[in-house]
Amino acid sequence: MIKIFNKYLIKRSFYFSLFILMVFGVLDSIFTFISELENTSPQYGIFNVLKYVIFSLPHNLIDFIEGACLLGVMLSLGLSHQEGNLNVLRSAGVPPLKIILMSSIGALILSISLLALDEISFRNLYLNAEVNKNLLSQKDNSNNNDIKWIKSGNSYLSFENIISDEIYNAKLIKIDKNEIAYSIQSDTAFIDNKDIIFNENSNYKNFIDKENKNYKESFEIPIQSRITFNNISNLGLYEINTYRNLFKETNIDSDILFKSHLDKAFYKLIFLPISILILIIYFGSLIFTSLRESTVGGRIIVAVLGAFLFKLFQDLSIGVFISYSLPVLIGVILPSVILMLMSIASYKKI
């Protein structure tokens, strides 16, 4: 009988969390769609906007996984309590903490699966959608103030943005004996290790050898030119860790700050399932104490506010540790540690 109840709790928390996550994702997609309509153009029409929103949805679900899992488990526990299932388990000698941990398994399966799928494919779907969006919209929305210039050897490269291995609005100028030898300009170019490959439809201007056209150039792009603060969150764990190792021995203040933000993204992803579990453990204990006689609506409000406040406190903690050049790892786990101590006190009262 106990095993049947346990399986029931796991399945219910999984399905509730998944349903709530999809609701959050659909609402976010609606707002994104409305926002993107402001950027429409003859090339980037409504169909392209819809395609961008749909392919971005799976990756964007990561932002809502904490709240969805907490809310799903709280609803599952609340309904099980009203049905009397929790009383049956407690009468059978099952402690409250074990009931909460059992209910959290479904939500943890969902969160870990989403993180794994995002690393494998969802993030690439998002990046490809972003690439396609930039290709279609940049001709109308291009702003010269966004152009960046970098140098490698005797070559200069200007561009608007780099996403994955795609360079947007790329222009390369080759210098030979203090004179411009040739230039290549294209809407997009591809990064292949330490080479930049332009397509053959690029605007090629040769000022020395009129017969020779080279669409593949050796050019080493600095690390910080390939990634920015804005797109760190769109990197995979392997990429983030690779960049972290490159900045490990630096003493330059700007590099140290940049590595801190890489650490922030890395540790938040690594500890996301643990943060979800601790949130569930603490707020789940309220089902047996202060929320025992509350309505389903009251539990929803508590869960939503709890997830929001936890995320806010975590961001504040990380920001303070980054500002004072303290270990980012401590800033990430500090809110979870505090919540865990509160959980211990809460379970002692049950």
Side-chain angles (χ1 to χ4, degrees):
M1 181 65 71
I2 300 298
K3 290 183 178 180
I4 294 175
F5 278 130
N6 288 339
K7 290 180 180 179
Y8 182 66
L9 288 174
I10 294 171
K11 290 181 179 179
R12 176 175 263 186
S13 66
F14 176 85
Y15 290 133
F16 276 5
S17 299
L18 178 60
F19 175 75
I20 294 168
L21 181 64
M22 295 311 300
V23 170
F24 286 165
V26 169
L27 290 175
D28 178 68
S29 296
I30 292 172
F31 289 120
T32 302
F33 180 78
I34 294 172
S35 177
E36 285 295 322
L37 288 177
E38 299 178 0
N39 301 322
T40 55
S41 66
Q43 290 80 20
Y44 186 57
I46 293 179
F47 175 76
N48 299 113
V49 171
L50 183 61
K51 183 179 177 181
Y52 168 73
V53 170
I54 291 173
F55 282 100
S56 300
L57 171 61
H59 174 70
N60 292 337
L61 290 177
I62 293 290
D63 296 331
F64 309 106
I65 189 65
E66 279 181 329
C69 287
L70 175 59
L71 188 52
V73 173
M74 291 293 288
L75 284 175
S76 173
L77 288 170
L79 291 176
S80 296
H81 178 68
Q82 290 179 352
E83 294 167 352
N85 294 331
L86 299 189
N87 292 330
V88 172
L89 290 173
R90 293 207 64 185
S91 300
V94 181
L97 179 58
K98 187 174 181 179
I99 295 174
I100 301 300
L101 291 175
M102 192 61 60
S103 299
S104 68
I105 291 176
L108 291 176
I109 290 173
L110 175 64
S111 62
I112 294 172
S113 299
L114 181 61
L115 288 172
L117 288 171
D118 185 68
E119 190 75 16
I120 295 169
S121 64
F122 289 169
R123 185 176 59 85
N124 291 329
L125 285 175
Y126 169 79
L127 291 175
N128 290 332
E130 192 76 20
V131 166
N132 187 58
K133 170 192 169 183
N134 287 345
L135 284 173
L136 295 173
S137 63
Q138 69 176 349
K139 291 183 179 178
D140 298 295
N141 299 327
S142 178
N143 185 347
N144 289 332
N145 293 328
D146 295 332
I147 297 296
K148 307 175 184 68
W149 283 92
I150 54 178
K151 180 179 182 293
S152 177
N154 294 324
S155 300
Y156 294 84
L157 177 70
S158 69
F159 60 93
E160 282 187 6
N161 198 6
I162 298 177
I163 298 177
S164 190
D165 289 324
E166 297 278 349
I167 309 174
Y168 296 96
N169 199 8
K171 182 177 182 180
L172 185 138
I173 298 176
K174 183 73 172 182
I175 305 297
D176 185 21
K177 298 179 181 178
N178 296 325
E179 294 182 354
I180 298 178
Y182 54 86
S183 67
I184 316 173
Q185 187 170 3
S186 177
D187 291 339
T188 61
F190 180 74
I191 301 173
D192 183 15
N193 293 323
K194 295 184 179 181
D195 294 327
I196 298 177
I197 301 175
F198 291 82
N199 59 65
E200 295 185 358
N201 296 324
S202 302
N203 185 9
Y204 192 102
K205 294 182 180 179
N206 200 327
F207 301 97
I208 298 178
D209 185 356
K210 302 297 182 182
E211 302 298 327
N212 184 32
K213 289 186 178 181
N214 185 16
Y215 293 99
K216 183 177 181 179
E217 287 291 330
S218 295
F219 197 101
E220 188 168 355
I221 300 178
I223 296 296
Q224 288 196 40
S225 296
R226 296 192 59 166
I227 52 176
T228 63
F229 288 107
N230 293 331
N231 62 20
I232 285 177
S233 60
N234 297 323
L235 297 174
L237 281 173
Y238 177 78
E239 291 177 298
I240 295 174
N241 195 46
T242 300
Y243 292 135
R244 288 175 64 241
N245 291 331
L246 291 175
F247 288 103
K248 186 175 292 184
E249 304 298 330
T250 183
N251 293 318
I252 302 174
D253 290 340
S254 60
D255 288 346
I256 293 173
L257 177 62
F258 195 79
K259 182 180 180 298
S260 295
H261 284 273
L262 289 171
D263 289 340
K264 170 186 173 181
F266 181 78
Y267 290 127
K268 284 187 73 173
L269 279 176
I270 290 293
F271 286 98
L272 183 58
I274 298 176
S275 298
I276 292 172
L277 177 60
I278 293 176
L279 276 169
I280 293 173
I281 289 174
Y282 175 72
F283 287 98
S285 68
L286 301 182
I287 295 293
F288 300 96
T289 54
S290 60
L291 292 185
R292 185 165 47 206
E293 304 301 331
S294 66
T295 63
V296 174
R299 294 187 181 98
I300 292 175
I301 293 173
V302 170
V304 171
L305 286 176
F308 172 76
L309 291 175
F310 177 83
K311 197 171 184 64
L312 186 65
F313 182 46
Q314 188 181 55
D315 289 339
L316 177 63
S317 172
I318 295 171
V320 169
F321 274 73
I322 290 177
S323 299
Y324 289 94
S325 301
L326 299 172
V328 178
L329 174 60
I330 299 177
V332 172
I333 66 173
L334 181 61
S336 297
V337 172
I338 294 175
L339 202 61
M340 197 64 203
L341 294 175
M342 293 172 61
S343 299
I344 294 173
S346 182
Y347 279 97
K348 285 183 177 178
K349 297 178 182 178
I350 298 176

